Amino acid sequence: MDENSSDMFWGTLGTVRPFPNFYPDRDAADIQAALERKDMAALVRILTNRNNAQRQAVAQSFQDKTKQDLSGALKKVLSGDLEELLLQLVMPPEQLEAQRLKAAMAGLGTDEETLLEILCCRSRKTLQEVAAVYRQMYKKDLEKELKAETSGDFARLVVALLNKAVTAGSVQRDVQALAASLSGKKAEAGPWINILTSRDSNHLDKVLMELELETGQTVDQLLEKHFSGDFRLGLRVLVQCIQNPQVYLAQRLLTMKTSLVQGIMVSHSEEDLLPIRAAFLRLSGSSLYSTLQKHFKGEQLLALQAVCRSED
């Protein structure tokens, strides 16, 4: 997979950079030896110090050399959270997001907020790639699965987010449409879904600021007053991701919930983990690096701190 194949890959705001002195065959041999010794620290050191494109090359070299799949070989010697973390590191980015979406819909009850995090933070192009990988991995259609897990206006919002397309609009007209949708006895969901999933974020920033001026209330107050349940949660997350996605993701990290911390840090490590770290520090008064130390230990902590990269 080439490094330009996806807008999920490579931003200068990532913490994980390409390893300069990179020899995939040497890495594959070192991983093979580390697996035989059950040397977790060596596995962590290699996998967290390569970027995703390099990890894919190492996995290919490992496969050629040993006739084994790297993920399968890791599963044999690892367990628990460290296993999950290292497996996420060796997945292509679209596969990781597909897996996180699947996990959010698994079992009893849906993890709505993880669905929203991915659908709101990712571009249309990325989501199309994720949907294609999802079909490949699970033999299921992502849109149909999302519809089956959700209902009503929330289902309409989720599907619109998956298929978001940017069309031009007039700020003033959009503000009027949103204000009008709140004027009746029952607020109309339609304009909120249509406008918030079909404009670029600069345009929407202006729309939301104008709406606040016009109504004399914050967007959050408007949503609180006029909508409820999952649909309100969905609009709230969407608005936060329009205004500042890194602050939203930093708030998610504050929970220090293992699956969230690992999923967000790995999936944003090459793209925008630096501004997420900066937002985390502003929100909590502590750096992400030192907060990880209070909640995790052993090789899992080493791996997370390596992805985080440094103190702030």
Side-chain angles (χ1 to χ4, degrees):
M1 190 181 283
D2 78 70
E3 283 188 51
N4 302 318
S5 69
S6 155
D7 52 323
M8 286 171 82
F9 269 110
W10 184 236
T12 47
L13 299 173
T15 52
V16 174
R17 305 289 166 94
F19 187 67
N21 208 359
F22 178 57
Y23 298 102
D25 293 350
R26 187 175 66 194
D27 283 350
D30 289 347
I31 286 174
Q32 193 183 4
L35 287 167
E36 280 162 16
R37 298 195 305 273
K38 296 192 169 42
D39 181 349
M40 310 304 175
L43 294 173
V44 166
R45 190 185 65 247
I46 298 166
L47 293 173
T48 56
N49 278 296
R50 309 292 181 269
N51 75 351
N52 195 280
Q54 290 175 329
R55 288 181 218 123
Q56 301 313 317
V58 172
Q60 186 57 57
S61 179
F62 183 87
Q63 175 108 37
D64 296 343
K65 190 176 158 53
T66 65
K67 305 292 172 267
Q68 280 186 79
D69 166 58
L70 179 56
S71 296
L74 289 169
K75 278 180 192 165
K76 283 183 191 147
V77 302
L78 295 164
S79 62
D81 295 331
L82 182 66
E83 175 188 352
E84 193 175 322
L85 178 56
L86 295 189
L87 290 175
Q88 287 181 337
L89 285 167
V90 299
M91 282 176 197
E94 296 82 6
Q95 202 176 322
L96 173 54
E97 294 299 53
Q99 189 213 44
R100 293 183 69 215
L101 287 169
K102 184 71 175 169
M105 295 187 275
L108 284 171
T110 306
D111 173 2
E112 287 86 3
E113 194 143 356
T114 296
L115 294 183
L116 289 165
E117 175 217 306
I118 296 169
L119 294 171
C120 293
C121 288
R122 297 298 182 197
S123 68
R124 172 188 168 86
K125 178 174 176 286
T126 294
L127 289 173
Q128 284 175 329
E129 289 167 8
V130 171
V133 169
Y134 192 97
R135 185 186 287 276
Q136 225 174 334
M137 286 168 77
Y138 304 113
K139 310 288 175 267
K140 298 266 174 75
D141 179 71
L142 178 56
E143 184 173 324
K144 281 188 185 139
E145 296 250 278
L146 288 167
K147 279 182 184 163
E149 289 289 323
T150 55
S151 60
D153 290 333
F154 184 58
R156 287 168 58 209
L157 175 65
V158 162
V159 169
L161 284 166
L162 179 65
N163 300 313
K164 56 181 122 168
V166 174
T167 52
S170 131
V171 170
Q172 218 33 56
R173 267 206 301 274
D174 285 350
V175 173
Q176 295 311 325
L178 293 178
S181 76
L182 304 175
S183 63
K185 268 207 176 100
K186 188 180 182 310
E188 290 169 62
W192 288 83
I193 296 171
N194 300 341
I195 292 168
L196 265 58
T197 61
S198 70
R199 309 278 190 265
D200 68 57
S201 35
N202 288 342
H203 174 93
L204 289 171
D205 248 344
K206 291 184 193 128
V207 168
L208 295 173
M209 279 190 331
E210 288 288 327
L211 184 66
E212 292 188 338
L213 287 171
E214 182 138 330
T215 59
Q217 293 177 67
T218 66
V219 175
D220 206 46
Q221 287 168 331
L222 293 171
L223 299 179
E224 180 67 39
K225 190 167 152 189
H226 295 279
F227 298 108
S228 62
D230 287 342
F231 183 63
R232 177 169 64 196
L233 172 73
L235 288 181
R236 274 201 163 132
V237 171
L238 180 50
V239 166
Q240 285 178 288
C241 289
I242 289 162
Q243 292 172 331
N244 195 326
Q246 285 83 26
V247 168
Y248 170 68
L249 291 164
Q251 281 169 338
R252 299 263 286 155
L253 289 176
L254 285 174
T255 63
M256 280 290 132
K257 193 176 157 207
T258 304
S259 62
L260 279 187
V261 171
Q262 297 193 161
I264 291 171
M265 285 183 64
V266 174
S267 66
H268 288 267
S269 59
E270 291 183 38
E271 188 183 350
D272 57 354
L273 194 51
L274 283 175
I276 293 169
R277 261 173 37 185
F280 187 95
L281 181 62
R282 281 201 309 277
L283 288 169
S284 71
S286 305
S287 71
L288 177 57
Y289 195 85
S290 60
T291 306
L292 291 168
Q293 219 154 347
K294 294 183 192 124
H295 292 86
F296 301 99
K297 53 185 191 294
E299 276 88 13
Q300 186 191 10
L301 173 63
L302 286 179
L304 287 170
Q305 286 187 320
V307 171
C308 181
R309 242 341 152 248
S310 61
E311 254 309 352
D312 286 303

